[in-house]
Amino acid sequence: MEQWPGVSISAYTRSLIALALGLASMQVLQGQPFKLAPPLVEYASVFFKDTLPIAVRFKQPGAHTHFTTNGKLPSRRSPVLQQGITISQTTLLTLQNRGKGYRPSPTVAVEFIMAGLPVEDIRFSPPHPNYPGQGPTTLHNLLGGQPAPTSPTWLGYRQAMVELELRLTYAQPIQLVMVHMLQQPAAWIFLPDSIQIFNAHNLLAPLATWYRPARPSSNTLQPVYITLPPATMAQSLVVRLYPIQQLPLGHAGAGLAGWLFIDEAMVFGSQ
């Protein structure tokens, strides 16, 4: 198995690279306008503590991988990424392959998230037996961000409400709560209808409520950040997620309940 610092490259990924290169060569030889394949991004997890190496695989004569870290789409003037990049802060990495005589590839966007406040424990509603995650530490082990719902890092739910309890090491100011989820409508996996955040000592009045936007981002991996009121001080927070109960019109499962997949939850303090 090939290695890029800290990242394993599977035989399956190598086969995808070979296929993309083969198709590119065939279409160029035939004189057809060729749309470049997207970059192949390899990483151990989208969550990290200090630094994170990210490998990017792409090779096509006359074409390069351009990237941005400011949320904008790459252009031909954006920096070129050679083989990989190492990041040391939360970064939205957006990549696109471009080259003279080629149509640009689809963009690939992944948000890599630096760990927040130390979490002592996270308790959560029992997941569906087919998607049990990795045990009690699933939501605070910094493992996850894989786009396949079959990854063992995901907790899967299909029920009316999911509850998480996040316990910090001591009471302190809190600014944000982040819940990292999967979105794959074709697999019936959607963001929840809403999320409520409570101080564990008062479950009657939520500190904040988030609602799924009418047109959410199309990204597969979805970190949802929920801002708490200024001067929020707590040691334990309760997060209640309400999975979608009726899939939208036009969907193959319209009217039926959808799935909710979660692989990490974080708390961020006041700056």
Side-chain angles (χ1 to χ4, degrees):
M1 186 174 284
E2 298 178 49
Q3 297 286 329
W4 191 81
V7 181
S8 297
I9 308 300
S10 67
Y12 175 69
T13 299
R14 291 199 301 270
S15 68
L16 288 179
I17 296 172
L19 177 60
L21 292 177
L23 290 174
S25 300
M26 287 175 60
Q27 293 196 22
V28 169
L29 287 173
Q30 293 170 3
Q32 300 176 11
F34 174 66
K35 184 173 185 176
L36 293 168
L40 293 169
V41 186
E42 293 281 344
Y43 49 86
S45 171
V46 298
F47 313 111
F48 65 100
K49 280 187 177 180
D50 300 308
T51 61
L52 179 68
I54 304 162
V56 178
R57 303 285 174 171
F58 175 72
K59 189 176 182 181
Q60 177 66 38
H64 305 281
T65 300
H66 295 261
F67 75 98
T68 64
T69 57
N70 59 4
K72 296 183 179 180
L73 295 177
S75 70
R76 59 186 177 84
R77 294 185 177 86
S78 299
V80 171
L81 198 61
Q82 298 300 330
Q83 288 185 321
I85 186 173
T86 297
I87 59 173
S88 57
Q89 61 184 8
T90 295
T91 301
L92 175 58
L93 185 64
T94 307
L95 307 106
Q96 185 180 53
N97 294 329
R98 287 176 165 268
K100 187 175 181 180
Y102 299 103
R103 288 183 293 154
S105 75
T107 57
V108 174
V110 183
E111 184 166 351
F112 297 94
I113 302 169
M114 193 170 189
L117 298 173
V119 174
E120 188 174 85
D121 186 35
I122 299 182
R123 300 180 181 181
F124 47 83
S125 301
H128 190 280
N130 290 350
Y131 307 101
Q134 297 181 311
T137 64
T138 296
L139 295 182
H140 60 110
N141 60 8
L142 298 183
L143 298 176
Q146 303 301 328
T150 53
S151 169
T153 59
W154 292 107
L155 296 172
Y157 294 93
R158 199 182 188 196
Q159 58 197 54
M161 192 266 283
V162 176
E163 184 170 283
L164 320 176
E165 183 175 355
L166 293 74
R167 182 177 177 83
L168 305 178
T169 52
Y170 57 90
Q172 53 196 296
I174 299 173
Q175 182 181 26
L176 291 171
V177 173
M178 187 280 297
V179 183
H180 196 264
M181 294 170 283
L182 184 66
Q183 180 178 246
Q184 287 193 6
W188 296 31
I189 303 171
F190 283 74
L191 297 181
D193 282 333
S194 62
I195 302 174
Q196 291 183 318
I197 311 292
F198 299 84
N199 188 314
H201 297 297
N202 181 6
L203 298 181
L204 297 179
L207 295 169
T209 301
W210 172 91
Y211 297 97
R212 185 178 70 250
R215 294 186 177 181
S217 161
S218 61
N219 292 346
T220 299
L221 301 175
Q222 292 275 351
V224 170
Y225 295 90
I226 303 165
T227 302
L228 302 187
T232 295
M233 177 78 70
Q235 181 175 3
S236 294
L237 295 172
V238 171
V239 181
R240 289 178 177 169
L241 304 99
Y242 299 89
I244 185 170
Q245 295 302 297
Q246 292 188 334
L247 296 178
L249 293 175
H251 191 276
L256 300 177
W259 285 87
L260 171 68
F261 275 51
I262 316 169
D263 67 353
E264 197 80 13
M266 292 183 182
V267 178
F268 296 91
S270 299
Q271 298 289 323

